[in-house]
Amino acid sequence: MAHASSSSTSGNPVSGMLTVIAVQAAGALYLRQFLLIDDWRFVLGLLVLFAAVLVFLERVPSVETRIEAAFARHSRLALLMGIALVLGFPFVLEGNTYALHLCVISMLYAVLALALNFQLGSANIPNFATGASYGIGAYASALLALNFGVSFWLALPAAAVVATVFGFLLGIPSMRTRDSYLALVTIAFGVVVHQLLNNLEFTGGPNGLVGIPVPELFGHAFSDPLVILGHTLPPQANFYYLSALLVFISIVFAERLHDSRVGLAWNALRADELAARCQGINVTWYKVLAFAVDAFLAGFAGTIYAFYVGFISPDNFTFLVSVTIMTMVIAGGMDNILGVIVGAFLLTMLPEKLRAFSDYRILFFGITVILFLMIRPQGLFPQRLRRYGD
Amino acid sequence: MSELFFQQIVNWITLGSIYALIAVGFSLLFGVLNIIHFSHGDVSLLAPFFGLAVISALGSVLGDAGTITTFLLALVVSIAVTGAVGVLLDLVVIQRFRKAPAMMALVATVALGIVLRELIRHLFPNGSNPHAFPRLVDGDIAIAGYSVPLFSLTVVAVSALSVCALFFMLNNTRLGLHIKAVSQDRDAARLMAIHPGRIFRATFFVASAIGAVGGLFFSSYAGMARFDFSIDVGLIGFSAAVVGGLGSMPGAIIGSLLIAGLDTLVQATVPNGASYRLVFVFLLVIGVLVFRPSGLLGRTLVEKV
């Protein structure tokens, strides 16, 4: 892959830069159209377009390598352009609050999917408890805010720490169990958390917690419309930027981890646990670490969700939520950061866009997982080879 | 022994027998296929819905839905159809994961369970709501001064018979020996002219049919059929098989009795225990797995390089 990049783009840096700009702009435009279109027939049309592009890229690998090479070469431009697009995106949504809301939820799910990706994608640990960690984060921060008046900005790290502690606890049985047994432990953990939230007095039982205060930053309440350069954005924009920041941090986090010894150790675990152990990798520690990292990120997402919606109940954090997150990782592409994010956006927005079939969304998730595992187990965006030397 | 205590014992054994019918299927499938068929609980709990459908269909054809004959016919048909559904799932989905990593099969069957549950909800008339399910046997019988529901006696007797038949089948018939051969070494079995695919399908049929008996009993015990029963029952059945040690039939039975015992104990002693029961059950599961990772009677796997 490395020599392909040098040969195809060494001559024309301008075309490389144009490629980067064109691909990113096309992506943003596609997302905007997808969000603003109402008729489900157009939504299906856009989906077909997406599939066609993917198939085209698969059939003509030279285009894919060109694009990849351009991004690798102009990574700084790609980053700046990406930030600009994300910052400017709310302005082109014509003040559509629902579209903005979908973006916020999609980004939170993207964080959750990235969190699960450390385990399912990198280390191949089946974790059915990401939804529970998400719930623990949400409840921890909401309880802190409601009972002790802790501000959002303090509750955010505190909830992440609480979720991480539970993640460690969940990781402990993983020291001795594997595969199906471990999957059962995580499912059991999710069910236990859900039942406790549903029955304990201080978590509000099935009614959940109501009236979670709105975060404030420098005197600006997040429930107020956001005014930027004379342009007024709906209140959801506050959370849009907040969750975009979280997604950005998660991506950096994920990439750094992927490139570090930890990421390598997880990949070694996935390839062969016994061989990894023989190479001197502390298998137990890295497994527990994967659980902790997953819970840490999920705790952040949970906190933002709780303060965004202002109301949480145990039913927001069921086993089905964990399965949904897993669907995103599998459909998007395990161990591929871009793929996981695309999977999260697609599977959050699609059921909302195809409202006519909203009753069938769970069925749709189930069938999606099975079909992907049967037909395309590597997901929409297959995992990349590790690149060294550039 | 007080009357109440005796009733709890009866409850425990009844519930334990029902769980065992489902757990045995998990264990059998794992032993033969070496993958977790996570949707086994959902398959098992299709049976009550098939039963209801057959009863109402026969009622509209024959005009009388209440006779013993239609009832028994409905039971037999629903058990057979549930077994066939198990085979169908293997043919359509599960057999594609024979050579895939265990985790993929696991995730796929979890999703399969969700699909089955949703299909019931959408395809069965009024599927989201509970449907009344008749008690299979009514009345009480007096044993040593205590009154025992005939239903519980039936459940225990039928479960014991089914499990004995399963053991007999596995140990003494040609099919059983073939199943054992395939579970021990798939390739060697193939060399002995045993068709593994056929054995897998036979195993799916047997496991699903026994699960169907458990599913019918469970709905009858609860007095209704609900599409989401299978979440709890499936998880409990799987947990029982895991606690006992996957692949071990006696283990599955011991695990079921253990979990049913804890379940009954919690419901009887802990205030508001009914809503906490799964918490205790799963804490037991996690505890057992931490101290005995391959279950109580499971073989400890030693991986060789």
Side-chain angles (χ1 to χ4, degrees):
Chain A
M1 221 182 283
H3 61 262
S5 69
S6 54
S7 64
S8 61
T9 53
S10 55
N12 40 4
V14 179
S15 87
M17 283 160 91
L18 284 178
T19 312
V20 168
I21 292 173
V23 168
Q24 291 199 332
L29 186 67
Y30 182 87
L31 185 60
R32 175 183 180 271
Q33 295 308 327
F34 195 85
L35 280 167
L36 292 184
I37 275 175
D38 269 330
D39 195 330
W40 64 270
R41 278 163 294 195
F42 285 111
V43 175
L44 279 189
L46 279 178
L47 273 185
V48 170
L49 180 70
F50 181 69
V53 171
L54 277 186
V55 170
F56 173 73
L57 288 180
E58 283 250 314
R59 288 285 154 83
V60 193
S62 63
V63 177
E64 202 187 346
T65 31
R66 280 270 283 284
I67 294 175
E68 235 174 70
F71 270 85
R73 203 176 147 83
H74 307 286
S75 56
R76 196 154 296 166
L77 172 74
L79 180 67
L80 287 177
M81 174 92 181
I83 291 176
L85 281 175
V86 170
L87 289 181
F89 197 64
F91 293 93
V92 298
L93 286 177
E94 302 165 357
N96 188 332
T97 52
Y98 184 61
L100 213 47
H101 167 77
L102 276 187
C103 284
V104 175
I105 300 295
S106 303
M107 287 195 282
L108 290 180
Y109 269 104
V111 173
L112 290 169
L114 282 171
L116 179 63
N117 187 39
F118 292 121
Q119 301 191 290
L120 193 66
S122 304
N124 217 354
I125 303 170
N127 181 1
F128 287 94
T130 311
S133 300
Y134 181 45
I136 289 172
Y139 266 91
S141 59
L143 286 172
L144 280 174
L146 288 174
N147 296 339
F148 303 103
V150 176
S151 88
F152 169 75
W153 305 103
L154 273 178
L156 192 61
V161 169
V162 173
T164 312
V165 170
F166 276 97
F168 263 115
L169 282 182
L170 173 63
I172 290 173
S174 77
M175 294 178 190
R176 300 206 50 184
T177 52
R178 281 167 61 179
D179 298 338
S180 322
Y181 294 94
L182 182 53
L184 177 65
V185 172
T186 63
I187 292 172
F189 179 79
V191 174
V192 168
V193 168
H194 181 251
Q195 289 231 320
L196 285 178
L197 292 179
N198 217 351
N199 289 305
L200 289 177
E201 198 112 330
F202 73 97
T203 59
N207 299 326
L209 297 171
V210 204
I212 301 163
V214 177
E216 276 186 24
L217 187 63
F218 304 125
H220 170 72
F222 273 32
S223 55
D224 293 340
L226 189 63
V227 183
I228 299 174
L229 303 173
H231 202 101
T232 311
L233 290 173
Q236 281 85 352
N238 298 301
F239 284 96
Y240 171 86
Y241 288 118
L242 185 65
S243 25
L245 182 67
L246 182 64
V247 173
F248 180 73
I249 295 172
S250 310
I251 293 174
V252 173
F253 198 56
E255 280 196 333
R256 303 284 302 177
L257 273 173
H258 181 80
D259 292 342
S260 72
R261 289 192 73 84
V262 178
L264 266 179
W266 281 336
N267 282 175
L269 266 182
R270 176 182 65 196
D272 189 332
E273 194 178 318
L274 192 61
R277 195 188 292 268
C278 295
Q279 293 291 319
I281 293 172
N282 188 342
V283 171
T284 310
W285 164 245
Y286 282 108
K287 272 190 183 176
V288 177
L289 192 65
F291 275 97
V293 170
D294 167 77
F296 182 70
L297 278 184
F300 271 111
T303 307
I304 295 185
Y305 178 79
F307 281 80
Y308 172 54
V309 179
F311 154 72
I312 48 174
S313 79
D315 286 339
N316 297 115
F317 312 106
T318 54
F319 175 58
L320 281 176
V321 174
S322 302
V323 175
T324 308
I325 301 168
M326 195 168 264
T327 316
M328 292 166 178
V329 177
I330 291 171
M334 291 195 225
D335 215 16
N336 181 320
I337 293 172
L338 172 72
V340 166
I341 294 173
V342 171
F345 270 73
L346 208 58
L347 286 170
T348 313
M349 291 180 178
L350 207 53
E352 295 291 330
K353 282 281 136 187
L354 301 176
R355 272 280 149 137
F357 313 100
S358 66
D359 214 22
Y360 295 90
R361 64 192 292 165
I362 300 171
L363 188 61
F364 167 75
F365 282 136
I367 293 177
T368 309
V369 173
I370 296 172
L371 285 183
F372 264 104
L373 286 173
M374 275 165 60
I375 299 166
R376 204 180 156 85
Q378 68 272 42
L380 289 174
F381 295 88
Q383 136 207 359
R384 308 270 153 188
L385 289 175
R386 285 176 171 274
R387 305 165 64 108
Y388 293 101
D390 50 37
Chain B
M1 196 158 55
S2 79
E3 181 71 29
L4 195 67
F5 184 70
F6 185 78
Q7 288 305 332
Q8 296 298 353
I9 299 258
V10 171
N11 272 346
W12 167 40
I13 306 278
T14 313
L15 210 53
S17 308
I18 296 175
Y19 290 162
L21 286 172
I22 293 167
V24 159
F26 272 109
S27 225
L28 180 65
L29 286 168
F30 180 82
V32 177
L33 292 155
N34 225 355
I35 62 160
I36 296 295
H37 175 34
F38 217 96
S39 41
H40 177 63
D42 299 277
V43 175
S44 305
L45 281 165
L46 289 178
F49 284 96
F50 289 138
L52 286 175
V54 172
I55 288 179
S56 77
L58 282 180
S60 62
V61 172
L62 301 174
D64 53 341
T67 63
I68 288 290
T69 337
T70 45
F71 198 59
L72 284 179
L73 197 61
L75 291 185
V76 172
V77 170
S78 63
I79 292 170
V81 172
T82 310
V85 168
V87 177
L88 189 72
L89 291 186
D90 182 49
L91 284 175
V92 178
V93 178
I94 299 171
Q95 68 166 349
R96 300 184 190 244
F97 295 100
R98 297 254 200 275
K99 291 188 180 115
M103 201 216 61
M104 277 176 62
L106 177 81
V107 177
T109 52
V110 168
L112 202 55
I114 293 173
V115 170
L116 286 178
R117 223 176 290 147
E118 288 296 304
L119 284 179
I120 282 288
R121 194 157 79 89
H122 290 298
L123 296 183
F124 200 80
N126 213 355
S128 309
N129 301 327
H131 292 263
F133 197 84
R135 202 136 238 236
L136 296 173
V137 192
D138 258 331
D140 295 284
I141 193 170
I143 296 177
Y146 299 104
S147 84
V148 182
L150 268 177
F151 173 71
S152 298
L153 278 184
T154 318
V155 169
V156 176
V158 172
S159 306
L161 271 179
S162 309
V163 171
C164 287
L166 179 67
F167 277 21
F168 180 81
M169 192 272 283
L170 282 178
N171 291 321
N172 298 298
T173 65
R174 200 175 173 79
L175 175 66
L177 293 179
H178 283 186
I179 289 178
K180 279 186 154 179
V182 171
S183 80
Q184 280 168 15
D185 193 330
R186 211 173 284 180
D187 296 323
R190 195 193 291 274
L191 293 176
M192 302 299 129
I194 299 170
H195 189 308
R198 209 169 290 157
I199 298 303
F200 289 143
R201 287 190 276 285
T203 316
F204 264 98
F205 186 85
V206 171
S208 306
I210 291 185
V213 179
L216 287 168
F217 278 147
F218 187 83
S219 276
S220 191
Y221 181 73
M224 56 183 162
R226 286 175 57 142
F227 80 99
D228 55 355
F229 265 165
S230 49
I231 306 178
D232 287 6
V233 177
L235 272 175
I236 288 181
F238 179 44
S239 305
V242 167
V243 165
L246 278 172
S248 154
M249 300 293 140
I253 296 163
I254 292 175
S256 303
L257 287 174
L258 204 60
I259 283 183
L262 186 68
D263 198 345
T264 322
L265 194 69
V266 167
Q267 296 208 39
T269 54
V270 179
N272 195 14
S275 41
Y276 281 109
R277 44 191 277 262
L278 280 183
V279 174
F280 285 90
V281 168
F282 286 133
L283 288 181
L284 172 80
V285 172
I286 294 176
V288 168
L289 283 182
V290 168
F291 293 106
R292 281 194 67 92
S294 36
L296 294 173
L297 298 186
R299 283 163 296 174
T300 318
L301 282 178
V302 181
E303 202 175 344
K304 291 184 204 128
V305 189

